[in-house]
Amino acid sequence: MSWSAPSSAWLRSWGTARCWLRRPLQLASPASPAPASWGGARPRPIVDMSYSRHFLDFQGSSIPTCMKKMVVTKLSANFREAVTLCHSEPVPLPGDGDLLVRNRFVGVNASDINYSAGRYDTTVKPPFDIGFEGIGEVVALGLSASARYTVGQAVAYVKPGAFAEYTIVSSKEAIPVPSVKPEFLTLLVSGTTAYISLKELGKLCEGKTVLVTAAAGGTGQFAVQLSKKAKCHVIGTCSSDEKSGFLKSIGCDHPINYKTENVTEVLKKDYPHGVDVVYESVGGKMFDLAVNSLAIKGRLIIIGFISGYQTRTGLQPGYVEMLPAKLLKKSASIQGFFLNHYFSEYQVAMKHLLEMCENRELVCEVDLGEMASEGKFTGLESVFRAIDYMYMGKNTGKIVVELPHSVNSKL
């Protein structure tokens, strides 16, 4: 299959560190590049952390010597047992090609507990940093990094260690963003996962039927909207009438509340020939249901299986012995998608998603926990609550934790 000729612009696009300068105290301007030298002499990196108290970031606040950071101290899928919030970790020094980013928002992902359980790399032993994505401002940088970035610039990134007040990011891996908005954070993992997987594996074209499970979640919201941009008919499963309403607002043709409706019966009745593409992130019974609902030559994309992550093995029992026969009978296929294996496509995807977000062609729903029982997710302490909130199925859109920063000028 190929993309249809009258497809949208989205479809068409698919073809084609801290170097402290030993100098008198001053405030750096966000618009001014970091100087290559001071008084003609080559700047010397200061390696003694005690010097940091003599410097201010671009908002006039002292850059501290210590910070809060979350660290995995025990391998477990129970995030509260696995992770320790450390209150006096040293603020790291950026190397020559690095940025020191003060995090303003960090993203919460279902796979955070897979990471805390050591499932992605069995050779890594605690303690290690956690958190996949963040967005904030550059508050210090290395000399080479200053060729491309300036103090005060808004950047985002994807790398382990985001659950911290400050993070070192290589200037080669940083993603410049227009401003520090949580909406841009939603694109880093959730948006690009939907964009790249549907492009590379979905083979969407006009008139096809797409089923998105957990459709009102962080990545599901993008799978729904991008499928609609490909002129597909979209079905989305969710867990409440409020989420059904949200799905309708972003273009979903047929939301199904699995708490009040029998998904199997609805699909049999309304889609007797099956669905052409499934974007699946739940696993367990929902995965079995999705396999049974595939059309002839249907394709199922697995981007996760959240229902099993909290178990000892990370998996829910399934009927795999029947799977070959079911796929053969329909000439259907199942393929997994792991974002790390598609970073060659990441830059193009992120660029286009940012453009769509800025042009308001894409809804980037953020859940900051305003409806959570204990209130908004503010500060690293609330990451624990945010994880619980996700696994209770409460969120609509991407769960984001805000890390506030009070500016206390020393001048």
Side-chain angles (χ1 to χ4, degrees):
M1 296 182 183
S2 60
W3 302 104
S4 58
S7 57
S8 66
W10 173 65
L11 296 176
R12 290 197 299 271
S13 75
W14 280 1
T16 38
R18 178 164 25 182
C19 181
W20 297 107
L21 304 182
R22 199 169 186 174
R23 61 181 185 262
L25 181 63
Q26 70 164 13
L27 274 177
S29 167
S32 304
S37 63
W38 186 264
R42 182 176 178 81
R44 288 169 42 193
I46 294 175
V47 295
D48 183 352
M49 279 299 295
S50 67
Y51 278 96
S52 67
R53 69 174 178 269
H54 298 299
F55 293 87
L56 303 181
D57 71 17
F58 72 101
Q59 289 186 337
S61 178
S62 294
I63 297 176
T65 55
C66 294
M67 67 176 183
K68 293 179 182 179
K69 181 173 78 167
M70 304 190 90
V71 178
V72 176
T73 52
K74 173 187 175 183
L75 293 181
S76 173
N78 183 323
F79 194 82
R80 290 180 180 271
E81 288 183 2
V83 176
T84 300
L85 177 58
C86 303
H87 291 262
S88 298
E89 290 290 305
V91 174
L93 284 165
D96 181 61
D98 295 333
L99 313 173
L100 178 64
V101 178
R102 186 181 69 220
N103 293 317
R104 291 278 303 280
F105 297 97
V106 293
V108 172
N109 294 279
S111 49
D112 286 327
I113 70 170
N114 285 332
Y115 199 74
S116 70
R119 290 172 181 154
Y120 291 149
D121 186 350
T122 56
T123 65
V124 176
K125 304 300 178 188
F128 55 85
D129 298 345
I130 191 166
F132 293 133
E133 55 188 340
I135 186 170
E137 301 102 347
V138 176
V139 294
L141 68 169
L143 186 60
S144 295
S146 68
R148 296 178 57 199
Y149 292 92
T150 61
V151 169
Q153 187 169 352
V155 295
Y157 62 89
V158 177
K159 63 163 286 186
F163 290 164
E165 292 178 326
Y166 293 85
T167 303
I168 292 291
V169 181
S170 168
S171 61
K172 295 179 180 179
E173 297 172 358
I175 303 163
V177 289
S179 61
V180 181
K181 290 173 58 178
E183 288 78 9
F184 296 136
L185 180 63
T186 68
L187 306 175
L188 297 177
V189 172
S190 300
T192 55
T193 293
Y195 187 108
I196 300 171
S197 65
L198 289 172
K199 173 198 169 189
E200 298 294 323
L201 311 180
K203 300 178 182 178
L204 303 183
C205 61
E206 185 174 353
K208 294 298 181 182
T209 302
V210 179
L211 169 64
V212 180
T213 63
T219 188
Q221 63 172 324
F222 295 112
V224 168
Q225 294 176 81
L226 296 174
S227 296
K228 286 304 298 177
K229 288 182 180 297
K231 300 185 179 180
C232 297
H233 178 90
V234 182
I235 311 156
T237 68
C238 62
S239 59
S240 71
D241 291 338
E242 291 75 18
K243 292 183 182 184
S244 289
F246 167 69
L247 290 177
K248 288 178 181 177
S249 75
I250 61 172
C252 183
D253 298 291
H254 192 162
I256 303 174
N257 179 354
Y258 65 80
K259 293 285 185 71
T260 59
E261 300 177 78
N262 185 313
V263 181
T264 299
E265 293 304 317
V266 171
L267 291 176
K268 280 183 179 178
K269 175 178 177 293
D270 295 343
Y271 306 94
H273 300 296
V275 296
D276 301 299
V277 178
V278 180
Y279 186 85
E280 219 291 276
S281 62
V282 177
K285 292 180 180 178
M286 188 64 77
F287 171 80
D288 295 333
L289 178 159
V291 170
N292 292 334
S293 301
L294 284 171
I296 302 296
K297 298 183 181 178
R299 297 174 296 284
L300 191 153
I301 305 167
I302 302 174
I303 62 102
F305 36 92
I306 189 174
S307 65
Y309 291 169
Q310 292 179 300
T311 66
R312 184 180 61 82
T313 62
L315 297 167
Q316 284 276 31
Y319 302 101
V320 251
E321 67 275 4
M322 301 293 295
L323 194 55
K326 289 180 178 180
L327 297 178
L328 178 62
K329 184 178 178 181
K330 295 181 177 179
S331 294
S333 62
I334 297 176
Q335 191 162 351
F337 177 89
F338 192 52
L339 184 60
N340 288 17
H341 299 152
Y342 288 84
F343 273 146
S344 60
E345 310 292 326
Y346 188 88
Q347 190 174 3
V348 171
M350 191 65 195
K351 181 176 183 292
H352 194 198
L353 287 167
L354 279 170
E355 289 173 356
M356 286 192 285
C357 181
E358 281 195 278
N359 295 333
R360 298 186 178 182
E361 298 169 5
L362 199 63
V363 174
C364 304
E365 187 70 13
V366 174
D367 193 331
L368 284 161
E370 286 96 343
M371 303 303 292
S373 58
E374 296 179 47
K376 187 177 176 180
F377 302 134
T378 303
L380 287 173
E381 298 86 351
S382 66
V383 171
F384 295 107
R385 288 198 297 117
I387 296 283
D388 294 341
Y389 182 79
M390 170 178 286
Y391 278 90
M392 288 189 290
K394 300 290 188 181
N395 61 296
T396 298
K398 175 81 175 185
I399 298 179
V400 174
V401 174
E402 183 175 4
L403 306 185
H405 178 72
S406 60
V407 176
N408 297 309
S409 179
K410 302 290 184 180
L411 295 184

